[in-house]
Amino acid sequence: MSIATTPFASHIALRTLLKVSISCLLALSGGIFAFAEGGPIAAATIPIALGALLWNDIKGTFSLNVWMANGLGLIAFAIAGAEFFGESIEGRLLGFGHLLFYLSWILLWQEKGTSQIWWLCALSVLQVATSSVLTNSIWLGFFLIIYVLWALWTLSIFTLHRAVQRTTGTDSKGALSPAPIPSPSERNSISRNGVRTASASRWITLRFVTGIMANGILSIIVGLAFFVLTPRVWVGSPLFIKNQVSAAVRSQTGFSEEVSVGDMGQILENHDLVLEATFSDSQSGDPIDVNEYASGLGLDAPLFRGTVLGEYDNGRWTAVSERFQLVRPTSRRILNRISPLVKQDIRLHSIGTQTLFACGPTVICLPADESSRYESEHELLGNTFRRQLKDSDDAETGEVFEYFAYSLSDHQRPYSMVHPSVERRYAQMMTRFPIGLEPLAELAKSTTQTAEGSTLTPNASVERLVTLLRDSGEYHYSLKLSIDDPNIDPVVDFVINRKEGHCEYFASALVLMLRSIGIPARYVNGFKGGTLNTKTGRIEVRQLHTHAWVEAYVDRRWIVLDPTPAARDEAVSAISETSHFWTDLTADIRSLWVSGMTLSGGQQRRMLFAPLKDSTGSILESLQSFADDWNSQGQGSGSVPGDARSRIIRIIISLVTFALLLFSAVWLWKHGPDPLRRRLRIRRSQTSIMAPTVPFYERFRKILAQRGHQRRESQTPQEFAVDLDQQLQSLHASRALNDILRTLTQAFYEVRFGHHDLSEQQLHELDASLDALERSLENGNSPNGR
Amino acid sequence: MAFGVLLAAAEMRSELLLKALGFPARAVLVVMAVGLSVWGLKELIAYQWSKTVRRPVRARSNRFMMPVEGMIYCVIMLVLLSGSVIGRSNTLMLVYVFMAGAFIVNGSVMFMMLKHLSVQRTIPRRVMAGEPFSVQLTLTNPKRWLAAWVISIRDDVSNGRESLHPEVLFAHVARRSSGRGQYQLRLSQRGQYTFGAIQVNSRFPMGLVERGLILAAHDQILVYPRIGRLTSGWRRNVISATQLASHAQQRIGTFHDEFHRIREYRHGDDPRNIHWRTTARRNELMVREYRESRDRQLILLLDLFLPHNASEIQRQRFEYMLSFAATICDDQLLNGRDGDLVFAANAPQLQVWKGTAEHGGRDKLLDVFALMQPNLEADLPSLLNIAREEQTPHSRTVVITSMEDRAEQVRWEKSVAINTHHQAWAEPPQVIVADPTSLAMAFSVERLASA
């Protein structure tokens, strides 16, 4: 076969590879969408794509014609239209996404030409883009990287296929054009295109694959750089951002201003550092052991209180939205009025929240740096603290924030800055019991009744309910997230059916049961426990210490209750003692992901643009000062004459010297007296002189070397040909092979030693022989094809 | 250009970036917008300039083309960027930046891949009409680090009446190496073909943008008329080269007899030619056979007349005539040992060629055939005069024309010359009308397979 044509079989293989690639791409985008949506429609793309690949592309059993495709398209638009005109934005987005899949299914079952493949690629990208709006889970990032690499691979194969198709003129069925037959009367000239492959029978080589992968990785790196640098100039109102940010923060810290019961599982594997704290006496400064302090508060471990959530709706806790919540900036004057206080020196790491954590009944939180841009706000009713920029509403949460929290040393002395009537109203609000949770009320009522049928006192009721959940053995601690009955409330499902769950379920159950018997209760989340760093002396609280507990209003004060069984503490201890490389790596990756997904304009400004602005400003100031100094020379300002001038001259000399050095380095690199480089250049030039007549033998040697046949140094080419013929005796009809070897060797001798130049026709024939040799060695057949 | 201007104007008016990110971000955006505008303006001016002013072709120039799929890709990117900004979605922004990153890397790779590539074309200087031949393209990649992938090289072949654009696809050319590819041509029209600029294109890897180089690499090739083969009937009936040795001829005279062979005696052979020694050896009469030397000078006259409004059939016969004449010349030069050839054609400037096959004489003659054009004012008397001047006692003259009436005219001219006592013909010229039907027994355009 001539070198000017591509092997038909390899072209078929290339087309098949393209179809496999595009089918896998669609399956991947379908899987991503299904994961983001949590529904089955997009997931159906996987079997549909595989089925189309098998029956339409490979076997050719069935394919949609134009009329069928158009009809199905109309149906698809009708179905998607019905979904689109729904109530929620999310519903419309899902309708649009489903339409993309319907259209891609239709295209998958059509005969794939160039336009069909381009449409499939475009639809696939749009599907992935729609998925990115539906979720911001870290798995999306992982699949996105895989998708980018696979998409680049598919496009590369497609480009190669199109180039081959255009050059060789193969039709969609793969048949090659017949060779022209000369005719004397023919007036039109004919050309026949040529193809040069790296290998006679393969398009896709290892080098091709690694090149595409390298291209993909480079694309991802450049893309990530763009991601960091693209200004976050948000224009509109967020569509899903609130939930997205909350979800991201939630996955990071285990709490937020909204809690969906059941999301905490993955946190217990996260070793990210949240805060470091030391405890001391506020007046004397003597260090206080945190565990002793916690014991003094009646706790088995220090509880770093975060947010308080009071409203419950179908598995979701939110903060109280009532307007009469009192928030005020904290003032240092209060420190003079209350003593003694326990001073907590806390370094809070960036966890994407404004909440300030503190242990015990906290009176005030103050930034450690009095000149800090931040101030703390005290939400009086929930007794929670948040940090806020003094002159902005922006939430700057990307840096370590150090602050002092002052708390009481015991609970005996109630402290409140709220008027009692307001507090009563608040407490009343904390008794709201949602509809549909009657089983909890019944259980609470039955638990808090005496044998005689009367109701226990509030203190006894509280104790009885806590004991039921924590100590009775009827409920077990677990990170299991499955739901037995999806039709009922998850807390009810936990209390009545599953009877196992993590701290969120226990806390939610206790709060709701207390409310059902009229005891005000609220849901609190934060962190429990920590590990002491013996080097720094600080207690380190990590993500895995995330916890949820309860505060109940009894005897006009809020008491802390922890209904979670002790198994939780044991699990946390076990995990905190082990630190694995992969666990830490996963935690770092997760942290990076959350940082990226919550990247704001303020963070960009602080990390990127502010340093740029500062350095630009300093350069401008320096130039300005030079100009001022220069001008002051003429005015006789009294400064030393020539001082500025000499500085400028020094700068100019430095710049010129630097430029000269740079150009010299470049010149030396290119033309310098490097013996090896010179030798290589000379050898290259010698080779190029010999090149026109020797390369066919070099190619011959390369072909054999790839298959393990190398000429020994002591062998002449003739001897090598004979030796090779004997080695390749296993090939059938070795006479043809012998002819090829003999011809090549003879031609080499003529050129190399006889100084004969070969004609173009002879070189062409030698190339064809080398092609035949390469094919025969690959296939193990005779060069004649038998 | 418009986009850059709009961007700068939008920022100046809305101060969005200034408020959000401060002055440095605004400065960066304005500089980028101004740069974009200047670049766009420059491209616009260059485009208009190239349309109005014809510039000499540069040795190497770049080309860029964004197909429809590339534009759609950019539109999708823009939609995603807008959606992420409006919807405040960092995940959608992530999808956008991955698309942008791939696009930028793709463009950079293509740009670097095409740098410093060179192409060398190797073509034969002459081919025969209808004969397939290969044109070799050598793509050289001198870069140190980057190989060249999926490079399509497009050539341009034309002769003013038709144009071909063959291509060679190079799947891979490693760094610091060359690759050779070939395409095949079969040029059917006699004349001169010009190989124009070579386009080196690639869309690899994503196929969204096409970049290329245009290399000025001009070559020319001459296409001969088809050279067929003369049959034995032609030699026997027209040339009459072989004569039996039965003639009583002098060794030196009108015919220069050459000893041909010894054969058996046949009735009628001259007894003086009996070779006695062989006869004694074989015990049967054997005679020497002489053959008249065929190495006679051939004067071939070609009438290039073709009417202005010649039909397609007439033009084909004209080409057939050239093919026939070229075959005769080729045969004479290759097979005649001592005879030479005189060729003349009544082109606008009378074409006369004399010589042998030595020192490239054959190629030079065939070059003349390649470039011959019909002549509306083809003059027969001057053509015949050349034959009279060049004729020798050993020469024979053949006049070939493509039209019957021109043949009659030649015959008349010939007879007029005799009757008016002009220089007599040593041997009257033979007039042949190049008619495929009548010459079918003498000449075949199809060549035999080469031995």
Side-chain angles (χ1 to χ4, degrees):
Chain A
M1 191 178 343
S2 161
I3 195 174
T5 58
T6 178
F8 179 67
S10 66
H11 180 75
I12 293 290
L14 184 64
R15 200 171 68 239
T16 305
L17 180 63
L18 171 64
K19 288 173 182 173
V20 169
S21 301
I22 192 70
S23 298
C24 291
L25 187 71
L26 266 293
L28 181 60
S29 62
I32 292 173
F33 194 95
F35 168 77
E37 178 194 16
I41 293 180
T45 305
I46 298 173
I48 289 174
L50 295 177
L53 176 66
L54 182 62
W55 282 294
N56 178 30
D57 298 326
I58 295 178
K59 290 186 178 178
T61 311
F62 172 77
S63 70
L64 296 173
N65 59 27
V66 175
W67 290 105
M68 290 166 70
N70 287 337
L72 288 172
L74 287 172
I75 295 171
F77 271 98
I79 296 172
E83 288 182 61
F84 191 78
F85 291 106
E87 293 182 358
S88 66
I89 294 177
E90 191 173 353
R92 291 177 192 168
L93 197 63
L94 287 175
F96 172 71
H98 292 160
L99 176 63
L100 297 175
F101 282 100
Y102 302 149
L103 296 177
S104 62
W105 295 346
I106 295 169
L107 285 167
L108 280 169
W109 281 96
Q110 283 189 294
E111 196 156 325
K112 292 184 184 61
T114 300
S115 63
Q116 279 79 14
I117 294 177
W118 274 122
W119 273 111
L120 284 170
C121 291
L123 287 171
S124 176
V125 168
L126 291 174
Q127 288 160 10
V128 171
T130 310
S131 310
S132 69
V133 181
L134 295 173
T135 181
N136 67 348
S137 165
I138 192 172
W139 290 105
L140 175 71
F142 174 70
F143 282 125
L144 207 53
I145 290 174
I146 295 177
Y147 179 83
V148 168
L149 293 174
W150 194 258
L152 279 173
W153 164 260
T154 304
L155 284 176
S156 303
I157 296 293
F158 186 34
T159 304
L160 180 60
H161 169 76
R162 287 186 69 192
V164 172
Q165 201 171 33
R166 198 180 69 189
T167 304
T168 60
T170 55
D171 58 19
S172 60
K173 296 294 182 185
L176 292 173
S177 304
I181 300 172
S183 168
S185 60
E186 189 164 332
R187 297 290 295 166
N188 294 326
S189 302
I190 292 176
S191 66
R192 191 176 185 196
N193 297 333
V195 174
R196 174 75 182 192
T197 58
S199 163
S201 61
R202 279 202 307 272
W203 284 106
I204 309 300
T205 57
L206 181 63
R207 205 175 289 170
F208 181 86
V209 175
T210 51
I212 298 301
M213 288 300 112
N215 190 23
I217 291 168
L218 194 60
S219 300
I220 289 170
I221 293 171
V222 170
L224 290 174
F226 263 92
F227 183 77
V228 172
L229 293 172
T230 302
R232 297 301 192 270
V233 186
W234 303 134
V235 174
S237 57
L239 293 173
F240 303 112
I241 188 65
K242 191 177 177 190
N243 290 341
Q244 282 188 348
V245 170
S246 299
V249 171
R250 176 81 175 124
S251 67
Q252 181 78 350
T253 64
F255 74 92
S256 73
E257 294 175 7
E258 289 183 10
V259 168
S260 288
V261 177
D263 283 346
M264 196 181 278
Q266 61 187 354
I267 300 305
L268 287 187
E269 298 171 1
N270 192 339
H271 287 250
D272 276 0
L273 189 61
V274 175
L275 61 89
E276 305 161 84
T278 54
F279 288 65
S280 60
D281 186 277
S282 64
Q283 287 183 330
S284 63
D286 295 334
I288 297 173
D289 181 63
V290 61
N291 290 318
E292 286 181 11
Y293 174 64
S295 296
L297 292 174
L299 305 171
D300 53 356
L303 289 173
F304 291 88
R305 203 162 171 274
T307 57
V308 170
L309 307 173
E311 291 192 358
Y312 180 83
D313 180 27
N314 195 22
R316 184 183 290 271
W317 285 100
T318 55
V320 173
S321 57
E322 291 288 339
R323 285 189 194 172
F324 64 88
Q325 281 203 84
L326 302 177
V327 178
R328 55 195 284 174
T330 55
S331 169
R332 290 178 179 275
R333 286 178 295 181
I334 201 169
L335 291 176
N336 301 326
R337 296 197 323 222
I338 304 174
S339 65
L341 292 170
V342 174
K343 179 182 175 184
Q344 304 167 40
D345 182 356
I346 299 175
R347 287 166 49 86
L348 179 64
H349 291 259
S350 171
I351 56 172
T353 180
Q354 296 167 266
T355 302
L356 300 177
F357 301 87
C359 182
T362 307
V363 172
I364 187 174
C365 285
L366 296 169
D369 180 7
E370 289 187 16
S371 62
S372 168
R373 293 178 297 161
Y374 292 97
E375 61 183 5
S376 70
E377 285 185 341
H378 187 187
E379 194 272 296
L380 299 173
L381 287 169
N383 199 29
T384 56
F385 296 87
R386 293 165 61 87
R387 63 167 165 159
Q388 192 71 38
L389 281 172
K390 287 177 184 172
D391 53 358
S392 166
D393 293 334
D394 211 353
E396 293 268 337
T397 59
E399 59 190 12
V400 176
F401 180 66
E402 190 165 357
Y403 60 97
F404 301 132
Y406 295 87
S407 55
L408 299 171
S409 57
D410 54 48
H411 283 296
Q412 296 305 318
R413 192 166 29 141
Y415 170 77
S416 177
M417 295 170 64
V418 180
H419 194 274
S421 65
V422 175
E423 191 149 356
R424 276 197 296 276
R425 272 175 57 203
Y426 175 75
Q428 188 64 33
M429 202 163 53
M430 290 296 114
T431 58
R432 285 183 191 165
F433 187 74
I435 301 169
L437 303 181
E438 285 73 23
L440 292 179
E442 289 167 12
L443 178 62
K445 188 176 176 183
S446 64
T447 305
T448 54
Q449 272 183 342
T450 61
E452 293 79 20
S454 60
T455 308
L456 295 171
T457 62
N459 274 318
S461 298
V462 166
E463 192 176 335
R464 185 70 71 88
L465 287 173
V466 171
T467 303
L468 169 69
L469 292 172
R470 186 182 62 194
D471 305 322
S472 66
E474 196 174 335
Y475 295 90
H476 304 283
Y477 181 79
S478 166
L479 291 175
K480 178 184 169 186
L481 299 177
S482 64
I483 300 172
D484 286 354
D485 190 348
N487 297 318
I488 61 175
D489 185 88
V491 179
V492 172
D493 182 61
F494 160 71
V495 170
I496 305 301
N497 299 329
R498 283 189 295 128
K499 300 193 177 182
E500 62 176 1
H502 52 73
C503 53
E504 288 181 350
Y505 287 101
F506 285 93
S508 301
L510 183 61
V511 169
L512 293 170
M513 284 198 288
L514 286 172
R515 286 186 178 188
S516 71
I517 58 174
I519 298 175
R522 59 193 183 187
Y523 180 104
V524 181
N525 63 1
F527 299 91
K528 179 180 179 181
T531 51
L532 179 65
N533 187 326
T534 51
K535 292 178 188 172
T536 60
R538 293 174 171 270
I539 182 167
E540 293 176 346
V541 177
R542 299 180 182 275
Q543 296 285 5
L544 56 92
H545 294 113
T546 298
H547 193 48
W549 61 93
V550 177
E551 287 179 354
Y553 192 67
V554 178
D555 294 339
R556 294 175 58 212
R557 63 188 181 93
W558 291 96
I559 59 173
V560 177
L561 305 167
D562 187 0
T564 306
R568 179 260 173 204
D569 298 334
E570 292 163 7
V572 169
S573 298
I575 292 171
S576 64
E577 285 168 7
T578 59
S579 176
H580 301 284
F581 169 75
W582 292 113
T583 310
D584 292 341
L585 182 66
T586 309
D588 290 339
I589 293 171
R590 191 177 289 121
S591 170
L592 203 64
W593 172 259
V594 172
S595 301
M597 292 306 104
T598 56
L599 186 65
S600 65
Q603 286 174 315
Q604 271 191 317
R605 191 164 54 234
R606 190 181 60 254
M607 287 191 303
L608 299 170
F609 296 110
L612 180 65
K613 178 185 173 184
D614 293 341
S615 58
T616 307
S618 64
I619 291 173
L620 288 173
E621 282 173 13
S622 302
L623 290 174
Q624 186 65 41
S625 70
F626 287 149
D628 291 341
D629 287 344
W630 186 272
N631 288 334
S632 68
Q633 297 300 311
Q635 295 169 7
S637 60
S639 61
V640 177
D643 188 26
R645 198 178 300 143
S646 65
R647 267 194 298 179
I648 291 171
I649 290 171
R650 276 203 300 275
I651 290 172
I652 292 171
I653 290 173
S654 306
L655 286 174
V656 168
T657 307
F658 174 73
L660 281 173
L661 284 173
L662 185 65
F663 285 128
S664 304
V666 171
W667 187 88
L668 280 171
W669 172 256
K670 285 190 174 178
H671 308 288
D674 183 350
L676 179 62
R677 199 191 306 278
R678 257 211 307 262
R679 228 178 286 142
L680 284 175
R681 215 181 298 143
I682 290 170
R683 189 189 296 178
R684 212 176 299 142
S685 64
Q686 285 178 342
T687 307
S688 68
I689 290 170
M690 292 167 54
T693 55
V694 171
F696 69 87
Y697 195 76
E698 291 302 313
R699 189 188 163 199
F700 169 66
R701 289 204 316 157
K702 209 181 279 186
I703 290 170
L704 294 171
Q706 284 172 357
R707 283 143 189 95
H709 303 288
Q710 296 221 1
R711 181 169 70 95
R712 294 193 297 274
E713 289 294 328
S714 58
Q715 271 183 325
T716 65
Q718 184 72 26
E719 290 168 349
F720 176 57
V722 170
D723 189 23
L724 191 66
D725 186 47
Q726 288 173 359
Q727 288 180 35
L728 299 176
Q729 285 290 328
S730 60
L731 292 175
H732 299 296
S734 61
R735 183 179 171 183
L737 180 65
N738 182 271
D739 289 341
I740 291 173
L741 296 176
R742 188 170 45 79
T743 306
L744 283 165
T745 309
Q746 199 171 341
F748 174 75
Y749 275 119
E750 284 178 9
V751 168
R752 182 68 180 87
F753 303 110
H755 302 290
H756 291 158
D757 284 336
L758 298 178
S759 68
E760 289 149 15
Q761 185 63 29
Q762 287 172 310
L763 286 172
H764 175 51
E765 286 168 6
L766 288 172
D767 275 331
S769 301
L770 286 169
D771 286 339
L773 174 68
E774 193 173 14
R775 274 194 305 280
S776 67
L777 291 175
E778 280 184 5
N779 299 331
N781 293 330
S782 158
N784 292 336
R786 293 186 219 113
Chain B
M1 182 186 80
F3 181 69
V5 170
L6 280 172
L7 200 61
E11 170 55 27
M12 286 302 188
R13 181 156 177 84
S14 65
E15 298 183 347
L16 193 65
L17 217 55
L18 179 67
K19 288 174 186 170
L21 297 176
F23 180 77
R26 183 190 225 195
V28 168
L29 179 74
V30 169
V31 167
M32 283 172 56
V34 168
L36 202 61
S37 307
V38 168
W39 176 80
L41 185 64
K42 168 237 167 195
E43 289 293 319
L44 194 64
I45 292 173
Y47 175 70
Q48 292 297 331
W49 184 260
S50 65
K51 281 179 76 175
T52 53
V53 176
R54 186 179 289 255
R55 293 193 302 178
V57 177
R58 290 189 292 174
R60 188 183 183 96
S61 58
N62 296 312
R63 61 180 291 270
F64 172 86
M65 194 262 293
M66 182 176 282
V68 172
E69 42 266 25
M71 293 181 192
I72 293 174
Y73 187 90
C74 292
V75 168
I76 293 176
M77 273 203 307
L78 212 58
V79 167
L80 295 187
L81 176 62
S82 307
S84 66
V85 168
I86 293 171
R88 300 191 178 194
S89 171
N90 273 309
T91 44
L92 195 58
M93 176 77 74
L94 192 64
V95 176
Y96 157 73
V97 297
F98 279 152
M99 288 183 73
F103 190 77
I104 288 169
V105 169
N106 171 65
S108 305
V109 166
M110 280 176 57
F111 178 76
M112 289 189 294
M113 201 167 63
L114 290 171
K115 281 188 79 172
H116 306 305
L117 291 183
S118 62
V119 179
Q120 191 181 3
R121 183 200 290 125
T122 307
I123 59 169
R125 287 294 125 201
R126 305 167 180 87
V127 290
M128 194 170 64
E131 175 190 13
F133 66 97
S134 297
V135 175
Q136 181 176 281
L137 296 176
T138 304
L139 176 64
T140 303
N141 178 24
K143 294 190 288 291
R144 289 184 187 181
W145 307 107
L146 193 60
W149 288 93
V150 192
I151 302 288
S152 174
I153 298 181
R154 191 168 190 245
D155 210 343
D156 175 44
V157 186
S158 68
N159 68 345
R161 295 183 295 277
E162 63 176 0
S163 188
L164 300 169
H165 300 287
E167 286 188 23
V168 178
L169 176 67
F170 287 81
H172 173 251
V173 177
R175 56 189 180 91
R176 287 187 180 173
S177 71
S178 299
R180 283 185 296 155
Q182 298 170 347
Y183 63 85
Q184 292 178 329
L185 282 178
R186 201 187 78 222
L187 303 175
S188 301
Q189 298 182 13
R190 177 186 60 87
Q192 187 175 68
Y193 279 80
T194 303
F195 287 76
I198 295 176
Q199 279 191 27
V200 182
N201 301 320
S202 179
R203 288 193 182 192
F204 192 77
M206 289 176 69
L208 300 173
V209 169
E210 181 172 304
R211 292 193 77 103
L213 298 170
I214 299 175
L215 306 174
H218 297 281
D219 284 304
Q220 287 178 336
I221 188 172
L222 285 177
V223 181
Y224 297 163
R226 289 181 70 98
I227 295 179
R229 58 185 176 87
L230 300 170
T231 63
S232 55
W234 161 265
R235 301 179 203 287
R236 189 171 51 251
N237 298 326
V238 179
I239 298 300
S240 302
T242 302
Q243 285 189 351
L244 292 177
S246 58
H247 276 260
Q249 294 170 358
Q250 301 293 325
R251 268 220 164 212
I252 300 172
T254 306
F255 297 105
H256 177 60
D257 290 348
E258 280 189 345
F259 171 75
H260 180 54
R261 62 175 178 162
I262 295 176
R263 58 170 174 79
E264 301 86 359
Y265 174 84
R266 294 183 198 138
H267 178 72
D269 288 340
D270 188 349
R272 288 177 293 179
N273 289 331
I274 293 173
H275 195 266
W276 294 108
R277 194 168 285 179
T278 308
T279 301
R281 194 162 58 243
R282 294 191 59 175
N283 204 25
E284 64 173 318
L285 281 175
M286 303 292 286
V287 295
R288 297 185 198 85
E289 182 182 272
Y290 292 92
R291 192 173 74 167
E292 178 186 343
S293 169
R294 65 177 74 180
D295 296 335
R296 300 171 62 186
Q297 184 196 51
L298 174 64
I299 302 173
L300 185 66
L301 306 177
L302 198 61
D303 176 28
L304 294 180
F305 176 78
L306 190 69
H308 179 66
N309 53 349
S311 64
E312 185 58 33
I313 294 176
Q314 286 175 321
R315 292 188 188 280
Q316 286 185 9
R317 274 180 74 161
F318 183 84
E319 295 297 326
Y320 181 83
M321 174 189 72
L322 288 179
S323 190
F324 178 50
T327 305
I328 294 173
C329 293
D330 187 60
D331 183 77
Q332 174 70 13
L333 290 175
L334 288 179
N335 296 324
R337 280 174 294 177
D338 296 331
D340 55 1
L341 172 69
V342 176
F343 171 76
N346 50 1
Q349 198 167 0
L350 205 62
Q351 295 261 8
V352 181
W353 185 93
K354 288 190 286 190
T356 64
E358 293 175 353
H359 307 297
R362 175 177 176 267
D363 288 338
K364 289 175 188 169
L365 177 60
L366 291 176
D367 288 351
V368 172
F369 270 98
L371 297 172
M372 239 180 280
Q373 296 296 325
N375 183 13
L376 186 61
E377 297 170 350
D379 182 33
L380 284 174
S382 54
L383 195 66
L384 292 172
N385 284 338
I386 290 172
R388 287 197 193 90
E389 290 163 8
E390 295 291 335
Q391 65 177 341
T392 66
H394 304 286
S395 66
R396 61 185 184 280
T397 305
V398 176
V399 180
I400 304 176
T401 179
S402 64
M403 307 180 75
E404 183 58 45
D405 52 352
R406 292 288 288 187
E408 286 299 323
Q409 194 174 346
V410 170
R411 292 186 191 104
W412 182 82
E413 286 285 341
K414 183 179 64 176
S415 63
V416 164
I418 291 172
N419 292 334
T420 56
H421 303 289
H422 284 183
Q423 186 180 354
W425 291 103
E427 185 176 321
Q430 187 176 4
V431 183
I432 299 175
V433 178
D435 177 19
T437 309
S438 57
L439 284 181
M441 298 302 293
F443 169 65
S444 170
V445 179
E446 293 288 342
R447 301 195 75 164
L448 290 172
S450 58

